[in-house]
Every structure is written in structure tokens, then in C-alpha cells.
Amino acid sequence: MLLKTMVLPIKSGRPIVVLNEADAYELGVFEGDRVQVRYEKRRGIFTVQIAKEIVPQGHLGTTDFVLKGLALEAGQEVEVFPARKPKSVEFIKKKIGGKKLDQEEIRTIVFDIVNNALSEIEIASFVISSMLRGMDFDEIEWLTRAMIESGERLHFDRGTVVDKHSIGGVPGNKISLIIVPTVASAGLLIPKTASRAITSASGTADTMEVLADVNLSIEEIREITEKVGGVIAWGGATNIAPADDRIIRIEHPLSLDPRPQLLASVMAKKGAIGARHVVIDIPYGEGAKIESGEMARALANDFIELGKRLGLEVVCALTYGGQPIGRAVGPALEAKEALKAMEERRGSASLLEKSLGIAGLLFETTGIANDGYSYAKKIFESGKTLEKFREIIAAQGGNEKIKADEIPVGDKTFTITSQRNGIAKKINLQAVNEIARSAGAPKDKGAGVYIHKKRGDVVKAGDPLLTIYAEKEWKLDNAIEVARAEAPIVVSGMILEVYGRSR
Amino acid sequence: MLLKTMVLPIKSGRPIVVLNEADAYELGVFEGDRVQVRYEKRRGIFTVQIAKEIVPQGHLGTTDFVLKGLALEAGQEVEVFPARKPKSVEFIKKKIGGKKLDQEEIRTIVFDIVNNALSEIEIASFVISSMLRGMDFDEIEWLTRAMIESGERLHFDRGTVVDKHSIGGVPGNKISLIIVPTVASAGLLIPKTASRAITSASGTADTMEVLADVNLSIEEIREITEKVGGVIAWGGATNIAPADDRIIRIEHPLSLDPRPQLLASVMAKKGAIGARHVVIDIPYGEGAKIESGEMARALANDFIELGKRLGLEVVCALTYGGQPIGRAVGPALEAKEALKAMEERRGSASLLEKSLGIAGLLFETTGIANDGYSYAKKIFESGKTLEKFREIIAAQGGNEKIKADEIPVGDKTFTITSQRNGIAKKINLQAVNEIARSAGAPKDKGAGVYIHKKRGDVVKAGDPLLTIYAEKEWKLDNAIEVARAEAPIVVSGMILEVYGRSR
């Protein structure tokens, strides 16, 4: 069928092709089926959407992105045919059927995901069947390798490239802001690509963005790393392991985190930037993503095994995930807390012990120091961490002279106080997250939560428990509403349980 | 956030709500997240799509369907908030986790599917996890009951309601056109709702549509059944078991057919029309959906058990599914073949034996006859089947005087002949299907395939094997191309295999 191309005013990361319902009926294609679009020798296969009025009969609605890909202009006539499903659909069905996939099959699926050849339903089927049918280490290795190969990669001519990754789920985890400069100032290369928050109040990229530009190309990441030794960039601005972003978009609605995809996602990013030594931070505890030590250790073993297969030395740190790291949650509040600690060369014990502990593990695994923690602490206390952090900020186009106290935070605040004497028995991590997000984080950089009382702290009636920061009054109101409904910090009497008392 | 509603020129079966990307960012919602839309006391929860230009900032793009549901006009200001996921998402995660769902949980999922509260990714997750984790008979019963309750239902004050269902996969299965009038002329009520083709060349609804209107409301189905005893309508025009249509839309891209959904889908439709006796036709054989007798028998037992739980008497007929029923494939060709058989009171053995055999089982299970097949054959040969079929055609607004020879078929034809002497060893059902579809079926009513040689027929070089019918030259060309690539009818020498011959 001959159709005239037209450009739709739609933004989408996926190639969109829209048929009028009469043309679709004529072609015998349903929503979600595929068509081949041909013009001279050029051809592309696309999943079809069907519209009534937005695309008139005889037209093919599409986007600039699609036209460019086929080197076409709007208004040109193209041939449109029903097309078969890509081979990878058969491979996904094979996994649904419980069979092991071979390397070529996994590669085909990953490249089809990257090339937008698979629909959301098909990717969801792949993710859920990998989760329920499982993947063995061969398959996970092939998945990781395909993710690396289907995206951009970094290569450095000299130096030792290291990296760290924290499994998510613990609010306030701004440790990369301290680890990266500490490690870089010892001469290691650490081109850290970080994520933005999806369900949390601030990702490392959101926090770093308060101080510098994080939307760096892979070329910029390479240059800055060569120049100052470290960088903290948003991975989403690069094309590193792009399959992962598509898979995460599918996992998000059901908050799924299948083991094969989790392992491949983390390790593909490390492999793609050329890291040889990696520390994985696995926080566990009540309310964290991973609740038991047993699960955390199993995951650690998986990472180590996968690392071996990929030629990466992996060290896993099981960390305490039962409460926030430091006291600040939200982009500006976290950047402020991290910078303040560097300025004062001291800070919250949970923040410094964790940051310097992980930097220390990188020093040990690369052979730089036998007692890595002490080595990292010395760097931090000498002021070299701050100095290097300022270099990194400058290299990423930020104001390297900024002081922690100058970082603006939301001016609409509300403090929740304790109604009773006792101790802070539990911090509800989900609730802290939700309050900070309702207050506007991560979009409103100044929004977030400051926690006054952490687990085990003695609390008197009237003591502040946490302060909510927001940039907008209506968001502050939303956050207060959530805080009232959720009890983010539970205060109980000093006597928690009593045994053997007669009635 | 306050947004002004605007109507988008989009056709969709689902409620669509589109935010400008800046507003979505401000609200902190991603594509696929949910928002609550409020106006005075009215509120609705919708899954969000994100656009750049089609919806300007400050506006909420949506459809008439959504506005009507909230009793709103275009241009009114509404409040928009991020909303939580519906409870059913938790229940889907429970099934992913391998746990048995209770009746209320399954009911909630089904009603949320019907009310468009779940996204495609979420429904896909439900379907695939039910498939891989399995459902026990309690869950399948609850799924079926929820499907029945969430849609329209039929009730008749008097008479015995019966129905039949054929598991798909065998081309040319026009048997309902003969079964329905045969059964109705014996005084039973058979309000048959049929499907249109999705992957086949013609569904029963497509075939019947050649002769009469099949887009009947549930009220019309009731009236016609009361008047003439039977009807052949398109189920999709009614709201019977609407969850099933949504689920099928998800299964289609991967051609999945999980046991729980297959059983519930068939039985919900039978339950909703008030059937008390049902015959399920389960074709099996090489190339059919069900390839072995063992699988067919297991499925039969499942249907019988589910029927018991629902108070329906189910009889299953395992039928020969290794080649097409009759010789015609495609809407008009099939209608012609069925009507011709009724006119001549004889026809292809596979068509008549199967149709009258299944009608006969309905006579036996309702106690009308001890030897159902003979009883059905007598009705058919007496001309009563044709007479009743004409009444049904008239009641459905068709021309009851039409003769088989007057039914128009495609005037573009091409006949494939045999290149050798031998016997027709195998008919490739998938290929027959694909040829007929490429020729334009089911959309072009006159398109299809006529099979001259069936399995076991003696073939001489130059004998016609099959004729392709099309309404359009370019579709005929497509179909010929497919036929040449696929070898729909395999002719081999009479000697198939030779043992014990010395080299």
C-alpha cells in the first residue's frame, strides 16, 4: 500500500508509526503488529499504532526520528506492507517455555530491544519469563556482554579504571560524592556514571547536578576523567548499555527487579566504562530492598562470579541499610551535607564510615594500600578529597568555589515534632522517600527531608523529628499530608517489651 | 496542578490522558505512572502518556470518552495529582511471586482490566505469571466467574440453552453455520457468539457476515434466539466477558495461550449466555494448535472439571485437526461451501461428519436423542437445517433467499498445480492460512483458498492443488509469492519409505 508520510507532534523515545484505521484494516494489521516501510532500497520495520483522525486515510503518521532514519522527507510516498515479527519474539517464547537461550539468541533479543524492534508487551514477557524461568550464569554473562556491545564504551590508554555501585533503596545515599574525589586523588580513574531517581528522592546524578552539569557525552566523560581522574555524570545522557534503560522502563510499573537483569544491568555499565576493579555496595536491613543478610550474601556471590566471567575483579560490601545515610534526603540537601562534610573534614558517622570504607576497599583491591580505610581517611582529613571534588565540579562546568552554606534549599519548611518521650525506634524508609518526593524531590532540587533523630536517639516530647523542605507551598502541603499518614519516625518508650510480668 | 482539558483526535479503546513533558516533570510522573483527575466531587485515575507538542503546557490531552466519563467539557480546568497504583498491581506481584490468589484478588484484577485501570505491561505480567506459575482449579473458577460478572449476560425464561465452541487452529472450520440451525430446528436455544479471525483466514463471525449482519447487541441476540432458536453473532459487538478481549490483545503479539486464560475465556462466554450444555470441539493433529491426543484429553478433562464447578454440563469432542474442514478457506468461500451443502443435503465428508457429529452430541447431552448423529443427519437431510438457516439469516437482516452459487468470491484467481504424480501427503495448515490472509482474507470477503487435493488424494502431474481467490491484483501477487515459498500441499511418490533394501 502506498502512503504519504506526515510528521506527528509527538515526543517519544521509540520510533512511532501510526496508520489510519481504514488503511490498517485494508492491510490486515492490528495495533501492535509490524509493518515494513520501503522507499527505494531503504526499508525499516515498525510496530503500528492505529488512529482515527490524527492520521488521515492514505497517510503514514510518524516522527522526525523515523524519517531521518530512512533519509526521507515529510510528504514522500512510501510503500507499506505487513511484516513478520522479528526472530527475537521466537527466542522470548523459548524462554517462556523454560528453555536455556544460547548466546546468539540473547544477543538478538538485546539488539532488538536497543533498535526498538520489540514492543513493551514483548519486553515485559522477556523480563518476567527470565525472572520466573531463571537464567543460568552462561545466560547472564551473555546478557551482560550483549548489553555492553550494543552501546557506547570507554577506553583509557593508561591508568587503572575502578568503579563502585550501590544497590538502591536507602535514602540519602550521597556517598559517591565523597568516594569519587577520594579515589581520584589517589591516582585511580573513576568515570562514574550514575542514575537519576526513579522511585527515590534523589539519585546521585540529581544530587551532583546541584553543583555541576551531569549531562555529559561519553567523550566528555573520557576527557574529564583523563584530566582530573574522576567524574560524576548522568548515565542516561550517554548511550552506555542502552538496553538497560528500556528494560528498567518495563520493570518500573511493577517494581520488578529480576536477578538476571539486576546483575547484567550493574555489570554491563561497569564493563562498558572499562573498569577492572569494582566495589558493589549491598545495603540490607528492614525496609531496604534487600532485607536479610542471607539474600545479600547470595547476591554478592553472584556479582563476584559474574565479574570473574567478564574479567572484572569484584568486591562486595554488605552495608547497613536499615536507616538513611547521613541525615539529608533530597538533591540540594544531600549535596550540602556531602560538601559540608568535606569542608569540615568530619560529618555524620554513617556517611563518612561508609564512603571511606568503600573508597578503602578500592584502594585494597587495586593494591594501593593494605589498610584502605585508614588510607582513605587520611586523604579525606588532609583536605585532598575536597580539593579534588572542586576540580571535578570545575571540569563539569560548575562553580568550584561554592560553599556548602551557599547551596540553596527550599524556603517552605515544616518540622514534625515528637509527641512523647522515648527513643527513635524505627525509621520508615519508604515513608521518608515518599515525603521527600511529595515535597517535590528530585525535580525541585531544594525539596527534601532533614532527619533530626536517627535510630536509637533519645527523644523528648516536642523535639524535632524531621524537617520537610519544599520550593512550593502546595507541594509542602502534600508532603505534610503524607508525613501525617505515614509515621516516618517511630518513637517508643525506652522499655520496648516486657516478659514474665504477672497480669 | 491545575490543567485545562483538551480533546485529542485519537481513537483508542483505552482511556487516554496525555501530559506535556514539563507538567509531567513538575508532577514527578513518568510515562506509565498514574494520575488522579479531579473536578468538584468527580474523580478518575488514569495511566499517563507524555507528549511534547501535541499537548501544550498547562493542558491535559484526553478523549471524548474520558471527558464523558467524568461529565466534563473540553476547556474546563481540572486538578491533576500523582496517584497510587491500583491494588490489583500488588495481586499481580503476588502471582509473580508464585502464590495462590484468592477470589477477591482475582475479581479485583479482572474488574481493573475491564475498567482500563491496568496498563498493557501489567496485564502482560498477569498473563505470563499465570502461565508460568500456574493457577489451580479454584483460581481458574474464580477467574471465569469474575469474567462473567464483569460483563453483560443473557437470560431466557424458557427453553434449554446450549452452545458449542471449537478450539481454533484448523482452517475452514465453518461447522457452526450448519450446527446452529440443525440444533435450533430441534427446539434447543443456541445463541452463538463467535469471534472474528485474528490470525486465521476467517472466523465464524467473518463467514456469517457474508450472509447477514453479525454486529448484534446482546438484546438483539436474545430476541432473535427467542424468535428462531438460534443466532450467529460477533461476540465483540457485545459486552460479554469483556476482560477476555483485553487479555487476548495482550496474548496476540506473542501468540500465547496460557491454560488458565484459555479455559476461563471459553467457559466465561458460555456461562454468560446462560448455556447449560456445551460441546467443546478440540481438534488435534500435526500442525494444529494441539498436536497430540494426550494434550487434547488433558484439556478435555480441564473443561469438564471447570464446567462442573460452574454448573455447566460439558462434553468434549476430540476431532481430527490434521487438515482443513471441507475444501474452502476464507469468508465467502466458506459461506458458499456451507450453504451449498445445506442446499444439496450432502457435501464434503469432513464438513458434514463433524458438524452433524457435534450437533448430535448436543442432542445426546440434552436427552433429545440417544443416537444424536443419526438424529442430526435426519434433520439435515430433511432440509430442516437449510430452512432454519434461512430463518436465522432473515432474523439477522440478511437475504434469506440467497443461493450458494450467488455468493460472490474474488475474481482474481490463480491455481497451483502439481509438478509430479503421487499422493497429497501433507497439507501445511499454517501455509494455507497465510496464503488466504495474504490474498486479503478476512477483510476482503471474497479472498481465500480452495483446496482441490486433500490428504491421501491421488495426484497427477498438472492436477490443480489449490486455487487462490483475491479481490485485488496486488494481494493475489502477494499470496502467490507466499504459496511459492511455503509448499502448502506436499505431494510425494506413493512409496514413502523403503526398508531393508541393500545399497
Side-chain angles (χ1 to χ4, degrees), chain A residues 30-31 96 109 138 178 183-184 245 331 337 352 384 450 492:
Chain A
F30 292 82
E31 181 121 359
I96 292 173
I109 293 171
D138 288 340
I178 296 176
V183 167
D245 292 347
E337 186 178 35
L352 290 192
K384 281 190 194 155
Y450 192 87
S492 57

Side-chain angles (χ1 to χ4, degrees), chain B residues 302-318:
Chain B
D302 285 348
F303 274 116
I304 291 164
E305 165 70 21
L306 182 56
K308 268 190 202 136
R309 286 166 168 259
L310 299 166
L312 265 109
E313 197 179 332
V314 173
V315 174
C316 290
L318 271 56

Side-chain angles (χ1 to χ4, degrees), chain B residues 429-442:
Chain B
L429 303 185
Q430 284 284 5
V432 167
N433 220 356
E434 262 192 76
I435 296 167
R437 285 182 68 91
S438 305

